Amino acid sequence: MPSFVQRLVDAGTVATGVAARDWEEAIRSGGNMMVDAGLCESRYIDAIIENHKNFGPYFIVAPGIAMPHAKPENGVLKTGYAFVMLHTPVAFGDEENDPVDMLIFAGAINREEHNEEVVAQVAELCDSDEYIGRLRASSNRDEVIAVLKDFDRAFQAGELE
């Protein structure tokens, strides 16, 4: 099974310096990349937005980091991800973790892939001050991809604590 980083690179769903006026626009920016890459239907992005409106910012996973996702049956076509660094952070309605500048979109076709890839790999990345710091210090897409590949190598080698 490929890593979430390999899926990001293969799909070409990494963007930096993205302008968004609010949380909904931020979600649409990454969501549209996933739709364009054939990873999900547009209704998947609508489901994320609707869930946020109904349940609040359930996908804020760390200070400044969101992991927008919804259930597979809401339009996931194949497991994949998108990574967005916002030009200017926006509020998502999470007092402890706002504003958000980094979004890691996830769409898994089933719970098994969700648990194996999303939970394990993305959670490890979000827990790593080193890699999150390096991502935030990156000035362009190529630098972000290089940091993500470094993370992936360390994760696969079991070097992260």
Side-chain angles (χ1 to χ4, degrees):
M1 185 177 301
S3 69
F4 99 91
V5 171
Q6 191 59 53
R7 289 185 194 265
L8 273 171
V9 172
D10 291 348
T13 50
V14 175
T16 60
V18 174
R21 291 178 301 238
D22 57 26
W23 66 266
E24 188 169 345
E25 196 171 295
I27 290 174
R28 291 212 184 272
S29 68
N32 288 338
M33 281 197 303
M34 291 182 70
V35 171
D36 292 346
L39 302 174
C40 66
E41 299 170 0
S42 60
R43 67 187 180 99
Y44 185 71
I45 309 314
D46 295 336
I48 294 170
I49 291 168
E50 197 58 35
N51 286 346
H52 180 283
K53 289 178 180 177
N54 291 332
F55 307 115
Y58 64 96
F59 48 72
I60 305 300
V61 295
I65 305 173
M67 192 182 79
H69 64 283
K71 292 183 178 177
E73 59 267 24
N74 287 316
V76 174
L77 300 173
K78 61 184 181 180
T79 298
Y81 308 89
F83 183 93
V84 172
M85 287 295 301
L86 297 176
H87 180 265
T88 304
V90 298
F92 275 72
D94 183 318
E95 289 180 22
E96 290 182 34
N97 297 304
D98 272 340
V100 168
D101 62 343
M102 186 182 305
L103 295 93
I104 303 168
F105 292 79
I109 58 168
N110 57 48
R111 184 163 299 285
E112 179 182 278
E113 287 194 13
H114 172 79
N115 288 337
E116 288 181 21
E117 285 184 36
V118 179
V119 174
Q121 296 174 33
V122 176
E124 188 74 38
L125 175 63
C126 292
D127 284 344
S128 172
D129 292 338
E130 175 191 347
Y131 288 101
I132 293 300
R134 288 178 58 196
L135 287 167
R136 287 195 167 118
S138 298
S139 58
N140 60 53
R141 183 179 185 275
D142 290 340
E143 289 179 13
V144 164
I145 291 171
V147 172
L148 289 170
K149 285 182 175 181
D150 285 350
F151 162 78
D152 193 37
R153 277 190 292 276
F155 180 83
Q156 299 300 331
E159 297 170 357
L160 303 173
E161 294 180 14

